[in-house]
């Protein structure tokens, strides 16, 4: 399932997507063939500029980024990704040709711009797929954790509103029976927040 930058993009609520950034069609096709088994949306970008547009349109679990591209190269693209609050936490795996692999300066620069890994083409398909699968799983776990935190925040907000209601009743001199009922509801809500059975 591949989506070009100018085509229909995957909705923001998808579990995970992978952004493939390379100016060479053959490289994009190879990446798609290797990653198809992961059964997640693959989004193509043929330049750093296209990659930045895609990153602002939807969420990605990981970016596979070619180092040598015309215009905005991989290092510049990675720097832009890491500067934006919306995209700074997305892991980047740099992909580079054999001609640059022997230059330790390229690897250093890749890690210095925020890459989590640096692979040389032609890469081992199994290794690439395994590394990407790890980041997909991390993305899923982070999404699950965020959902739990959001749910907990809603419950805490509800409890705070109930507490404010009891405080208001106290200030207004509410009858003891009404106040006792509100306090009992508040106690039930507190036990629920703590995950306790009553």
């Amino acid at each position: 399932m591949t989506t070009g930058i100018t085509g229909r993009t995957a909705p923001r609520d998808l579990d995970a997507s992978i952004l493939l950034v390379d100016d060479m069609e053959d490289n994009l096709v190879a990446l798609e063939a290797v990653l198809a088994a992961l059964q997640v949306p693959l989004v193509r970008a043929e330049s750093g500029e296209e990659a930045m547009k895609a990153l602002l349109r939807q969420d990605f679990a990981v970016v596979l980024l070619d180092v040598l591209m015309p215009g905005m190269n991989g290092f510049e693209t990675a720097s832009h990704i890491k500067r934006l609050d919306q995209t700074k936490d997305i892991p980047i795996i740099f992909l580079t040709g054999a001609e640059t692999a022997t230059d330790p300066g390229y690897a250093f620069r890749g890690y210095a711009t925020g890459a989590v890994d640096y692979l040389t083409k032609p890469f081992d398909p199994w290794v690439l797929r395994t590394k990407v699968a790890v980041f997909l799983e991390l993305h899923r776990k982070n999404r699950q954790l965020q959902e739990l935190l959001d749910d907990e925040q809603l419950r805490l907000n509800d409890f705070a509103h109930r507490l404010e209601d009891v405080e208001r009743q106290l200030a207004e001199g509410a009858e003891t029976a009404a106040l006792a009922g509100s306090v009992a509801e508040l106690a039930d809500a507190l036990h629920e927040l703590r995950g306790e059975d009553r």
Side-chain angles (χ1 to χ4, degrees), residues 124-143:
D124 181 324
W126 184 87
V127 169
L128 178 65
R129 193 167 38 245
T130 302
K131 287 176 184 274
V132 169
V134 168
F135 290 111
L136 289 171
E137 186 60 24
L138 283 172
H139 184 265
R140 288 184 186 109
K141 297 289 186 194
N142 285 337
R143 292 283 291 268

Side-chain angles (χ1 to χ4, degrees), residues 65-180:
L65 182 57
D66 184 32
V67 172
L68 298 178
M69 295 186 293
M72 188 190 302
N73 68 31
F75 298 128
E76 294 167 328
T77 304
S79 293
H80 286 296
I81 292 170
K82 294 303 177 182
R83 263 189 233 128
L84 295 175
D85 284 342
Q86 180 180 338
T87 59
K88 68 181 180 184
D89 295 325
I90 300 173
I92 298 169
I93 298 176
F94 272 121
L95 304 175
T96 187
E99 68 280 3
T100 59
T102 56
D103 184 347
Y106 273 91
F108 174 78
R109 192 169 172 199
Y111 290 118
T113 56
V116 295
D117 212 340
Y118 195 91
L119 299 176
T120 304
K121 302 174 198 171
F123 45 79
D124 181 324
W126 184 87
V127 169
L128 178 65
R129 193 167 38 245
T130 302
K131 287 176 184 274
V132 169
V134 168
F135 290 111
L136 289 171
E137 186 60 24
L138 283 172
H139 184 265
R140 288 184 186 109
K141 297 289 186 194
N142 285 337
R143 292 283 291 268
Q144 290 171 352
L145 180 59
Q146 189 58 54
E147 286 173 11
L148 287 171
L149 290 171
D150 291 345
D151 183 51
E152 196 66 23
Q153 188 60 53
L154 286 173
R155 293 170 60 193
L156 285 169
N157 289 344
D158 179 58
F159 183 79
H161 289 305
R162 291 182 185 202
L163 183 58
E164 288 169 6
D165 186 49
V166 169
E167 290 171 343
R168 181 189 50 77
Q169 289 179 33
L170 278 169
E172 293 173 357
E175 293 181 18
T176 306
L179 193 55

Side-chain angles (χ1 to χ4, degrees), residues 21 45-53 65 69-70 72-73 77:
V21 189
E46 295 180 4
S47 68
E49 292 83 2
E50 284 187 11
M52 293 308 299
K53 289 177 186 175
L65 182 57
M69 295 186 293
M72 188 190 302
N73 68 31
T77 304

Side-chain angles (χ1 to χ4, degrees), residues 12 51-58 60 84 86-87:
R12 290 180 87 58
M52 293 308 299
K53 289 177 186 175
L55 286 159
L56 295 174
R57 287 184 185 149
Q58 71 184 85
F60 291 96
L84 295 175
Q86 180 180 338
T87 59

